[in-house]
Amino acid sequence: MTAPRVAAAAIGLVRAYGEGRGAVRALDGVTLWLPAGRFTAVMGPSGSGKSTLLHCLAGLDRPTAGQVLLGDTDLGALGEAARTAVRRDRIGFVFQDGNLLGHLSAGENIDLAASLAGRRPDRGWRTELVDRLGIGDRLRHLPGELSGGQRQRVAVARALLGRPEIVVADEPTGALDTESGRELLGLLRGCVDDYGQTVVMVTHDPLAASVSDQVLLLRDGTAAGRLADPTPGTVLSALGELGTGGRRPAPVPS
Ligand SMILES: Nc1ncnc2c1ncn2[C@@H]1O[C@H](COP(=O)(O)OP(=O)(O)OP(=O)(O)O)[C@@H](O)[C@H]1O
C-alpha cells in the first residue's frame, strides 16, 4: 500500500508573539503533516497553539521561523499579495460563525471567491454541492434569515466550490446545537470520503474529533502526539494524558 500524498505540512514551525520578557512562543518548533484526502483533527488544551497552527497552515499568519508548505509552496516565503491569492484559490475556510457577508444572499456568498477572482463557478459542481448540503431552497435568503446550521452549510458550500487543496475548519460546530453539529460533521466526512477532500479541523469536542482519520495533539506549542482512527474514548484518554489545564507559555530564550 502506498502512503498518501502530503497536502500540507509544518516543518519546525515557530510563531512567536511580542518581544522581550512578554514574548510568547505560541508554536515552538512544530513538525506535522496533513495527508491528502484525509480528515485531520487538531486538539490540545486551551492556549496550546491550535488556532495559531491553523492560521499558519491557512496562510493567515506568517511563521517566525520554520516552514509551512501547501503542496510544494512555502507559504512563509510568499509576499502578502501572493498569500492572499493562495488563500482565495487553494484553501477553503469554515469558521465557527460561518463568517458569511450579511448583505449578500447565501448564493452570492457561495460564489464570492470565484467572483472576486473573476472566475465563473463550475455550475454542475455548484448544483451538486448545494443539493448535497440541502440548501437549494435557501440560496436567495440573507444569512440573517438562515438558521445557524444552514449558515454553516452555506459556508461549507463556499469552502468547497473552488475544489481547494485543503479545507480549514476552526471549531465549525462550536456555535451549533448537537443535531446540527452532528449533521455538519457528517457532511465534512462525506466530502473527504466521496470527493477526496483534505480537511483539517480544530475542535475541543472528542465526539467531533472521532469523525476524523487522525487527531494531532498539541501541548504548550509543541506537537504532543498523533492518534490514528480515533474514537471518543481514545481521544478522551489522550487528552487526559496531555492534561487539560491552561497553558504555561514557553518563554522565548533571550
Ligand atoms: N496575536 C497574539 N498576540 C499575543 N499572543 C497571542 C496571540 N495569538 C495567540 N497568542 C498566544 O499564543 C498562545 C496560543 O494561542 P492559540 O489561540 O493558538 O491557542 P489555542 O490552542 O487555539 O487556544 P484555545 O483553545 O483557547 O482557542 C496563547 O498563549 C495565546 O495567548
XYZ file of all heavy atoms in Angstrom, residues 21-122:
736
model
N 10.579 40.309 27.448
C 10.123 39.433 28.533
C 8.690 38.955 28.342
O 8.308 37.907 28.841
C 10.237 40.184 29.867
C 11.664 40.441 30.279
C 11.728 41.426 31.445
N 11.148 40.867 32.663
C 11.838 40.142 33.528
N 13.103 39.888 33.314
N 11.262 39.662 34.617
N 7.876 39.746 27.641
C 6.472 39.361 27.459
C 6.248 38.465 26.239
O 5.116 38.102 25.941
N 7.307 38.101 25.550
C 7.142 37.322 24.308
C 6.638 35.914 24.609
O 6.953 35.331 25.641
C 8.469 37.257 23.574
N 5.818 35.408 23.699
C 5.252 34.066 23.846
C 5.513 33.295 22.559
O 5.305 33.821 21.464
C 3.719 34.152 24.069
C 3.081 32.776 23.992
C 3.404 34.809 25.394
N 5.977 32.060 22.702
C 6.070 31.190 21.526
C 4.791 30.374 21.454
O 4.665 29.346 22.129
C 7.263 30.256 21.635
C 8.573 30.871 21.226
C 9.643 29.796 21.228
N 10.962 30.372 21.110
C 11.716 30.283 20.021
N 11.287 29.637 18.961
N 12.916 30.816 19.995
N 3.830 30.848 20.674
C 2.562 30.121 20.525
C 2.814 28.759 19.889
O 2.155 27.777 20.206
C 1.596 30.940 19.685
N 3.776 28.708 18.948
C 4.219 27.441 18.354
C 5.730 27.400 18.494
O 6.418 28.372 18.172
C 3.816 27.355 16.879
C 2.316 27.367 16.606
C 2.056 27.445 15.104
C 1.625 26.136 17.198
N 6.220 26.275 18.976
C 7.624 26.231 19.384
C 8.364 25.081 18.693
O 8.876 24.191 19.343
C 7.679 26.079 20.916
C 9.040 26.458 21.468
O 9.858 26.998 20.718
O 9.271 26.209 22.666
N 8.334 25.091 17.352
C 9.049 24.050 16.608
C 8.168 22.857 16.293
O 8.508 21.724 16.618
N 7.033 23.122 15.652
C 6.058 22.057 15.354
C 6.321 21.465 13.969
O 6.417 22.195 12.988
C 4.617 22.619 15.406
C 3.620 21.595 14.888
C 4.268 23.040 16.828
N 6.432 20.142 13.934
C 6.545 19.444 12.653
C 5.390 18.445 12.550
O 5.202 17.615 13.460
C 7.893 18.710 12.534
O 8.944 19.694 12.534
C 7.961 17.891 11.245
N 4.595 18.568 11.510
C 3.479 17.641 11.286
C 3.049 17.758 9.833
O 3.470 18.664 9.117
C 2.306 17.943 12.236
C 1.816 19.393 12.347
C 0.961 19.777 11.170
C 1.042 19.591 13.637
N 2.219 16.817 9.400
C 1.746 16.907 8.022
C 0.305 16.431 7.923
O -0.181 15.658 8.768
C 2.647 16.140 7.065
C 2.900 14.724 7.454
C 2.221 13.635 7.050
C 3.925 14.254 8.336
N 2.740 12.512 7.625
C 3.793 12.865 8.414
C 4.942 14.888 9.075
C 4.631 12.084 9.206
C 5.773 14.111 9.854
C 5.621 12.732 9.902
N -0.364 16.916 6.881
C -1.762 16.571 6.629
C -1.812 15.694 5.384
O -1.508 16.167 4.279
C -2.599 17.831 6.381
C -2.520 18.937 7.432
C -3.392 20.115 7.012
C -2.944 18.421 8.801
N -2.169 14.416 5.529
C -2.261 13.558 4.351
C -3.404 14.016 3.445
O -4.475 14.408 3.924
C -2.560 12.167 4.915
C -2.518 12.287 6.393
C -2.542 13.724 6.768
N -3.167 13.977 2.146
C -4.189 14.402 1.183
C -5.370 13.447 1.219
O -5.212 12.224 1.375
C -3.588 14.443 -0.215
N -6.564 14.017 1.093
C -7.761 13.187 1.028
C -8.150 12.585 2.365
O -8.912 11.611 2.405
N -7.627 13.116 3.441
C -7.944 12.618 4.784
C -8.458 13.757 5.650
O -8.275 14.922 5.350
C -6.703 12.000 5.443
C -6.109 10.861 4.671
C -6.929 9.578 4.847
N -6.605 8.605 3.812
C -5.580 7.765 3.856
N -4.781 7.776 4.893
N -5.358 6.935 2.872
N -9.080 13.351 6.748
C -9.677 14.283 7.700
C -8.790 14.289 8.943
O -8.643 13.260 9.602
C -11.083 13.767 8.031
C -11.999 14.745 8.721
C -13.373 14.621 8.567
C -11.523 15.761 9.518
C -14.257 15.502 9.188
C -12.379 16.647 10.145
C -13.755 16.510 9.975
N -8.195 15.438 9.244
C -7.314 15.567 10.412
C -7.955 16.510 11.419
O -8.404 17.595 11.053
C -5.936 16.131 9.998
O -5.318 15.219 9.091
C -5.039 16.338 11.209
N -7.998 16.094 12.686
C -8.447 16.987 13.756
C -7.228 17.421 14.560
O -6.273 16.654 14.720
C -9.444 16.269 14.662
N -7.257 18.669 15.033
C -6.186 19.197 15.890
C -6.788 19.493 17.246
O -7.788 20.212 17.344
C -5.570 20.482 15.289
C -4.505 21.043 16.213
C -4.986 20.206 13.907
N -6.186 18.909 18.285
C -6.715 19.092 19.643
C -5.583 19.432 20.602
O -4.416 19.204 20.302
C -7.408 17.816 20.126
C -8.573 17.386 19.279
S -9.554 16.120 20.124
C -10.654 17.135 21.109
N -5.962 19.923 21.754
C -4.981 20.241 22.789
C -5.613 21.194 23.778
O -6.653 21.789 23.495
N -4.988 21.366 24.942
C -5.545 22.267 25.942
C -5.655 23.698 25.421
O -4.994 24.052 24.440
C -4.525 22.193 27.089
C -3.741 20.960 26.853
C -3.752 20.716 25.380
N -6.469 24.488 26.108
C -6.614 25.896 25.746
C -5.247 26.574 25.770
O -4.469 26.382 26.704
C -7.567 26.557 26.750
O -7.686 27.909 26.444
N -4.947 27.324 24.718
C -3.671 28.036 24.651
C -2.516 27.194 24.140
O -1.368 27.645 24.129
N -2.789 25.975 23.690
C -1.694 25.093 23.239
C -1.195 25.445 21.837
O -0.195 24.895 21.390
C -2.126 23.623 23.299
O -3.279 23.404 22.513
N -1.918 26.323 21.133
C -1.428 26.774 19.825
C -2.253 26.299 18.643
O -1.842 26.468 17.488
N -3.438 25.742 18.886
C -4.249 25.157 17.803
C -4.629 26.201 16.746
O -4.451 25.989 15.548
C -5.532 24.517 18.382
C -5.268 23.441 19.409
C -6.543 22.851 19.951
C -7.415 23.805 20.746
N -6.790 24.275 22.003
N -5.188 27.322 17.216
C -5.634 28.339 16.250
C -4.442 28.934 15.517
O -4.508 29.187 14.305
C -6.402 29.458 16.951
O -7.598 28.950 17.462
N -3.353 29.139 16.241
C -2.158 29.690 15.598
C -1.667 28.738 14.511
O -1.314 29.166 13.400
C -1.052 29.919 16.650
O -1.581 30.741 17.700
C 0.148 30.604 16.040
N -1.674 27.438 14.811
C -1.257 26.447 13.808
C -2.163 26.517 12.581
O -1.695 26.550 11.439
C -1.300 25.039 14.421
C -1.068 23.900 13.432
C 0.354 23.930 12.883
C -1.359 22.550 14.081
N -3.473 26.552 12.840
C -4.429 26.573 11.729
C -4.223 27.829 10.874
O -4.238 27.763 9.637
C -5.854 26.536 12.283
C -6.892 25.911 11.385
C -6.603 24.429 11.221
C -8.291 26.104 11.952
N -4.018 28.958 11.555
C -3.828 30.215 10.821
C -2.549 30.176 9.980
O -2.520 30.699 8.866
C -3.810 31.392 11.792
C -5.158 31.687 12.369
N -5.375 32.623 13.353
C -6.370 31.153 12.113
C -6.668 32.655 13.660
N -7.281 31.767 12.921
N -1.507 29.557 10.516
C -0.262 29.448 9.735
C -0.460 28.511 8.548
O -0.028 28.812 7.429
C 0.881 28.948 10.615
S 1.478 30.191 11.781
N -1.144 27.371 8.769
C -1.377 26.421 7.671
C -2.222 27.054 6.567
O -2.108 26.691 5.398
C -2.090 25.163 8.193
C -1.259 24.190 9.035
C -2.159 23.136 9.677
C -0.185 23.515 8.186
N -3.086 27.995 6.967
C -4.005 28.606 6.008
C -3.456 29.905 5.422
O -4.155 30.592 4.679
C -5.337 28.883 6.687
N -2.225 30.258 5.759
C -1.634 31.474 5.209
C -2.257 32.747 5.757
O -2.103 33.816 5.173
N -2.939 32.648 6.901
C -3.493 33.842 7.538
C -2.465 34.491 8.458
O -2.615 35.638 8.861
C -4.732 33.472 8.378
C -5.975 33.079 7.596
C -6.963 32.354 8.500
C -6.628 34.307 6.976
N -1.464 33.723 8.836
C -0.432 34.197 9.750
C 0.908 33.698 9.201
O 0.952 32.683 8.508
C -0.707 33.620 11.153
C 0.011 34.395 12.242
O 0.797 35.304 11.915
O -0.214 34.070 13.424
N 1.975 34.427 9.508
C 3.296 34.056 8.975
C 4.152 33.436 10.062
O 4.160 33.928 11.194
C 4.024 35.306 8.503
C 3.523 35.845 7.205
C 4.405 36.988 6.819
N 5.463 36.484 5.971
C 5.828 37.093 4.851
N 5.282 38.204 4.487
N 6.777 36.576 4.103
N 4.909 32.387 9.715
C 5.813 31.801 10.708
C 6.906 32.789 11.110
O 7.338 33.596 10.283
C 6.441 30.617 9.965
C 5.651 30.412 8.727
C 4.939 31.684 8.425
N 7.321 32.709 12.371
C 8.509 33.445 12.809
C 9.753 32.701 12.324
O 10.755 33.305 11.964
C 8.521 33.545 14.351
O 7.282 34.118 14.775
C 9.675 34.377 14.858
N 9.669 31.366 12.340
C 10.752 30.525 11.817
C 10.135 29.203 11.373
O 9.009 28.889 11.741
C 11.817 30.295 12.892
N 10.886 28.454 10.592
C 10.373 27.183 10.089
C 9.553 27.399 8.829
O 9.469 28.517 8.307
N 8.930 26.326 8.367
C 8.218 26.372 7.085
C 6.785 25.874 7.211
O 6.491 24.986 8.028
C 8.919 25.453 6.086
C 10.161 26.036 5.475
C 10.681 25.095 4.402
O 10.815 23.894 4.631
N 10.949 25.641 3.227
N 5.917 26.436 6.375
C 4.579 25.889 6.168
C 4.446 25.622 4.675
O 4.585 26.544 3.863
C 3.486 26.874 6.619
C 2.114 26.321 6.264
C 3.575 27.128 8.105
N 4.228 24.368 4.329
C 4.115 24.002 2.916
C 2.672 23.662 2.573
O 2.026 22.887 3.279
C 4.995 22.783 2.615
C 6.501 22.951 2.852
C 7.219 21.624 2.626
C 7.072 24.026 1.926
N 2.186 24.264 1.493
C 0.913 23.848 0.905
C 1.277 23.242 -0.443
O 1.723 23.974 -1.347
C -0.017 25.042 0.729
C -1.363 24.726 0.073
C -2.205 23.798 0.938
C -2.142 26.012 -0.224
N 1.166 21.920 -0.569
C 1.768 21.265 -1.726
C 3.254 21.579 -1.713
O 3.925 21.390 -0.695
N 3.745 22.146 -2.823
C 5.174 22.496 -2.893
C 5.421 23.960 -2.552
O 6.552 24.434 -2.644
C 5.700 22.247 -4.322
C 5.687 20.777 -4.662
O 5.788 19.963 -3.719
O 5.565 20.444 -5.858
N 4.380 24.694 -2.186
C 4.532 26.143 -1.964
C 4.871 26.439 -0.513
O 4.155 26.016 0.405
C 3.209 26.871 -2.311
O 2.798 26.482 -3.623
C 3.381 28.373 -2.235
N 5.953 27.170 -0.303
C 6.345 27.595 1.042
C 5.611 28.907 1.349
O 5.989 29.971 0.856
C 7.869 27.789 1.078
C 8.365 28.222 2.453
O 7.525 28.493 3.348
O 9.592 28.291 2.626
N 4.549 28.819 2.154
C 3.686 29.996 2.376
C 4.438 31.145 3.049
O 4.164 32.312 2.780
C 2.468 29.626 3.224
C 1.482 28.616 2.631
C 0.247 28.492 3.522
C 1.072 29.005 1.220
N 5.380 30.815 3.929
C 6.116 31.857 4.650
C 7.008 32.680 3.735
O 7.371 33.805 4.065
N 7.350 32.107 2.579
C 8.249 32.812 1.663
C 7.483 33.740 0.725
O 8.083 34.480 -0.045
C 9.055 31.795 0.853
N 6.146 33.681 0.778
C 5.343 34.489 -0.156
C 5.105 35.884 0.401
O 4.987 36.072 1.617
C 3.987 33.822 -0.396
C 3.982 32.420 -0.994
C 2.533 31.931 -1.141
C 4.700 32.408 -2.341
N 4.980 36.852 -0.481
C 4.565 38.186 -0.079
C 3.063 38.214 0.198
O 2.359 37.224 -0.041
N 2.593 39.358 0.689
C 1.184 39.479 1.105
C 0.215 39.176 -0.038
O -0.751 38.424 0.121
C 0.963 40.902 1.634
C -0.302 41.072 2.451
C -0.353 40.141 3.646
O 0.622 40.050 4.407
O -1.382 39.464 3.806
N 0.492 39.738 -1.215
C -0.445 39.562 -2.342
C -0.505 38.102 -2.774
O -1.589 37.560 -3.052
C -0.012 40.447 -3.521
N 0.652 37.445 -2.796
C 0.679 36.039 -3.224
C -0.038 35.155 -2.201
O -0.741 34.204 -2.556
C 2.122 35.582 -3.415
N 0.140 35.482 -0.912
C -0.556 34.684 0.121
C -2.073 34.885 0.037
O -2.857 33.967 0.229
C -0.061 35.055 1.511
C 1.048 34.119 1.969
C 1.415 34.258 3.411
N 1.614 35.631 3.816
C 1.079 36.168 4.903
N 0.299 35.439 5.675
N 1.313 37.411 5.221
N -2.482 36.114 -0.265
C -3.918 36.377 -0.432
C -4.470 35.533 -1.577
O -5.545 34.931 -1.468
C -4.161 37.877 -0.711
O -3.635 38.615 0.383
C -5.635 38.187 -0.867
N -3.714 35.451 -2.664
C -4.166 34.660 -3.820
C -4.222 33.174 -3.458
O -5.153 32.464 -3.860
C -3.235 34.896 -5.002
N -3.255 32.697 -2.680
C -3.269 31.288 -2.255
C -4.510 31.012 -1.404
O -5.202 30.010 -1.598
C -1.980 30.936 -1.460
C -2.146 29.625 -0.705
C -0.790 30.850 -2.404
N -4.806 31.913 -0.477
C -5.988 31.718 0.387
C -7.258 31.678 -0.455
O -8.157 30.879 -0.218
C -6.100 32.857 1.412
C -5.076 32.801 2.513
C -5.493 33.663 3.689
N -5.651 35.064 3.330
C -4.678 35.972 3.424
N -3.481 35.624 3.851
N -4.900 37.224 3.085
N -7.329 32.537 -1.447
C -8.541 32.625 -2.269
C -8.690 31.418 -3.192
O -9.782 30.891 -3.365
C -8.476 33.921 -3.098
C -9.757 34.253 -3.838
C -9.500 35.378 -4.814
N -8.517 34.967 -5.806
C -7.664 35.804 -6.419
N -7.663 37.089 -6.149
N -6.809 35.346 -7.314
N -7.553 30.968 -3.749
C -7.634 29.968 -4.820
C -7.393 28.538 -4.358
O -7.804 27.598 -5.036
C -6.594 30.287 -5.908
C -6.855 31.639 -6.558
O -8.010 32.096 -6.497
O -5.912 32.227 -7.100
N -6.709 28.348 -3.216
C -6.263 26.991 -2.893
C -6.723 26.489 -1.530
O -6.461 25.339 -1.177
C -4.723 26.937 -2.968
C -4.224 27.261 -4.378
C -2.719 27.387 -4.452
N -2.014 26.179 -4.033
C -0.682 26.107 -3.907
N 0.061 27.152 -4.168
N -0.121 24.972 -3.525
N -7.394 27.368 -0.764
C -7.793 26.977 0.595
C -9.269 27.324 0.799
O -9.722 28.386 0.370
C -6.928 27.722 1.647
C -5.443 27.379 1.438
C -7.369 27.353 3.069
C -4.495 28.161 2.306
N -10.017 26.425 1.432
C -11.404 26.708 1.798
C -11.487 26.904 3.305
O -10.795 26.211 4.061
N -12.319 27.851 3.742
C -12.406 28.172 5.174
C -13.811 27.929 5.711
O -14.799 28.328 5.087
C -12.077 29.653 5.401
C -10.647 29.996 5.102
C -10.263 30.409 3.833
C -9.677 29.880 6.083
C -8.940 30.719 3.554
C -8.353 30.190 5.811
C -7.989 30.606 4.542
N -13.887 27.294 6.879
C -15.157 27.204 7.604
C -14.874 27.613 9.044
O -14.157 26.914 9.762
C -15.742 25.771 7.593
C -17.104 25.759 8.281
C -15.874 25.251 6.165
N -15.404 28.763 9.446
C -15.183 29.255 10.800
C -16.393 28.938 11.685
O -17.456 28.549 11.187
C -14.923 30.757 10.792
C -13.642 31.136 10.092
C -13.660 31.739 8.847
C -12.426 30.857 10.681
C -12.479 32.077 8.201
C -11.234 31.187 10.044
C -11.263 31.799 8.805
N -16.224 29.188 12.967
C -17.273 28.847 13.926
C -18.604 29.511 13.597
O -19.658 28.901 13.708
C -16.818 29.264 15.329
C -17.826 28.947 16.405
C -17.228 29.063 17.801
O -16.021 29.075 17.948
N -18.069 29.143 18.797
N -18.556 30.768 13.185
C -19.799 31.508 12.965
C -20.165 31.608 11.478
O -20.989 32.422 11.106
C -19.665 32.917 13.550
C -18.511 33.673 12.892
O -17.840 33.080 12.018
O -18.286 34.834 13.249
N -19.546 30.784 10.654
C -19.869 30.802 9.230
C -19.154 31.897 8.475
O -18.746 31.721 7.349
N -19.019 33.072 9.126
C -18.266 34.159 8.523
C -18.809 34.574 7.153
O -18.053 34.879 6.240
C -16.800 33.713 8.367
C -15.850 34.825 8.738
O -16.167 35.600 9.632
N -14.737 34.929 8.049
N -20.141 34.570 7.026
C -20.755 34.973 5.757
C -20.930 36.490 5.755
O -21.058 37.113 6.813
C -22.116 34.297 5.602
C -22.112 32.774 5.684
C -23.542 32.240 5.570
C -21.237 32.165 4.601
N -20.969 37.072 4.566
C -21.237 38.507 4.470
C -22.740 38.722 4.553
O -23.508 38.179 3.739
C -20.671 39.065 3.158
C -19.140 39.035 3.064
C -18.669 39.648 1.750
C -18.509 39.775 4.242
N -23.152 39.534 5.553
C -24.565 39.658 5.880
C -25.417 40.322 4.819
O -26.626 40.108 4.761
N -24.797 41.142 3.948
C -25.587 41.860 2.942
C -25.663 41.094 1.621
O -26.294 41.552 0.680
C -24.992 43.255 2.711
C -23.596 43.219 2.166
N -22.506 42.880 2.947
C -23.115 43.455 0.938
C -21.422 42.911 2.208
N -21.760 43.264 0.978
N -25.001 39.941 1.551
C -25.090 39.115 0.345
C -25.972 37.910 0.609
O -26.007 37.400 1.733
C -23.700 38.616 -0.072
C -22.658 39.665 -0.458
C -21.356 38.981 -0.866
C -23.169 40.545 -1.599
N -26.689 37.455 -0.421
C -27.519 36.263 -0.265
C -26.615 35.040 -0.069
O -25.405 35.096 -0.318
C -28.378 36.055 -1.505
O -27.554 35.672 -2.591
N -27.247 33.940 0.361
C -26.492 32.703 0.549
C -25.780 32.316 -0.746
O -24.594 31.974 -0.745
C -27.431 31.588 0.999
N -26.492 32.403 -1.865
C -25.907 32.040 -3.154
C -24.731 32.939 -3.515
O -23.699 32.467 -4.007
N -24.876 34.244 -3.257
C -23.770 35.170 -3.556
C -22.570 34.896 -2.661
O -21.419 35.014 -3.093
C -24.247 36.621 -3.390
C -25.202 37.056 -4.498
C -25.957 38.346 -4.156
O -26.076 38.692 -2.952
O -26.441 38.985 -5.102
N -22.846 34.529 -1.399
C -21.740 34.163 -0.508
C -21.000 32.946 -1.035
O -19.767 32.887 -0.992
C -22.272 33.875 0.907
C -22.240 35.106 1.802
O -21.176 35.531 2.238
N -23.417 35.674 2.045
N -21.750 31.973 -1.527
C -21.117 30.752 -2.049
C -20.197 31.099 -3.220
O -19.103 30.558 -3.356
C -22.196 29.724 -2.472
C -22.906 29.182 -1.234
C -21.581 28.585 -3.284
C -24.121 28.322 -1.539
N -20.622 32.042 -4.037
C -19.874 32.375 -5.261
C -18.776 33.416 -5.033
O -18.082 33.787 -5.988
C -20.834 32.923 -6.328
C -21.836 31.870 -6.753
O -21.529 30.671 -6.607
O -22.927 32.255 -7.230
N -18.653 33.894 -3.787
C -17.826 35.074 -3.534
C -16.379 34.945 -4.024
O -15.886 35.825 -4.739
C -17.835 35.390 -2.034
C -17.251 36.734 -1.646
C -18.040 37.863 -2.287
C -17.279 36.888 -0.123
N -15.698 33.853 -3.646
C -14.276 33.735 -4.004
C -14.124 33.714 -5.520
O -13.238 34.369 -6.078
C -13.665 32.486 -3.387
N -15.020 32.969 -6.191
C -14.943 32.907 -7.655
C -15.198 34.292 -8.245
O -14.493 34.724 -9.170
C -15.959 31.895 -8.185
N -16.186 35.022 -7.688
C -16.482 36.367 -8.210
C -15.277 37.278 -8.036
O -14.912 38.022 -8.957
C -17.666 37.002 -7.468
O -18.722 36.111 -7.363
N -14.651 37.209 -6.841
C -13.505 38.085 -6.577
C -12.353 37.775 -7.526
O -11.598 38.665 -7.908
C -13.025 37.917 -5.126
C -13.949 38.507 -4.052
C -13.451 38.135 -2.661
C -14.041 40.021 -4.187
N -12.234 36.502 -7.883
C -11.139 36.102 -8.778
C -11.523 36.285 -10.246
O -10.729 35.993 -11.134
C -10.768 34.650 -8.512
N -12.756 36.742 -10.493
C -13.207 36.937 -11.869
C -13.443 35.627 -12.605
O -13.335 35.565 -13.826
N -13.743 34.569 -11.843
C -13.981 33.255 -12.472
C -15.462 32.916 -12.427
O -16.178 33.341 -11.520
C -13.240 32.155 -11.700
C -11.781 32.060 -11.961
C -11.275 30.749 -11.370
N -11.665 30.578 -9.978
C -10.894 30.869 -8.956
N -9.685 31.322 -9.150
N -11.323 30.707 -7.720
N -15.888 32.112 -13.385
C -17.244 31.564 -13.323
C -17.195 30.272 -12.538
O -16.384 29.406 -12.846
C -17.726 31.197 -14.729
C -18.300 32.341 -15.488
C -18.639 31.889 -16.897
N -19.040 33.029 -17.686
C -20.239 33.595 -17.611
N -21.152 33.096 -16.812
N -20.539 34.648 -18.336
N -18.073 30.127 -11.519
C -18.083 28.851 -10.805
C -18.492 27.713 -11.738
O -19.229 27.935 -12.705
C -19.126 29.046 -9.715
C -19.564 30.455 -9.756
C -19.069 31.074 -11.031
N -18.000 26.524 -11.461
C -18.409 25.324 -12.191
C -19.869 25.037 -11.794
O -20.145 24.626 -10.666
C -17.457 24.194 -11.775
C -17.852 22.837 -12.320
O -19.032 22.658 -12.691
O -16.979 21.961 -12.349
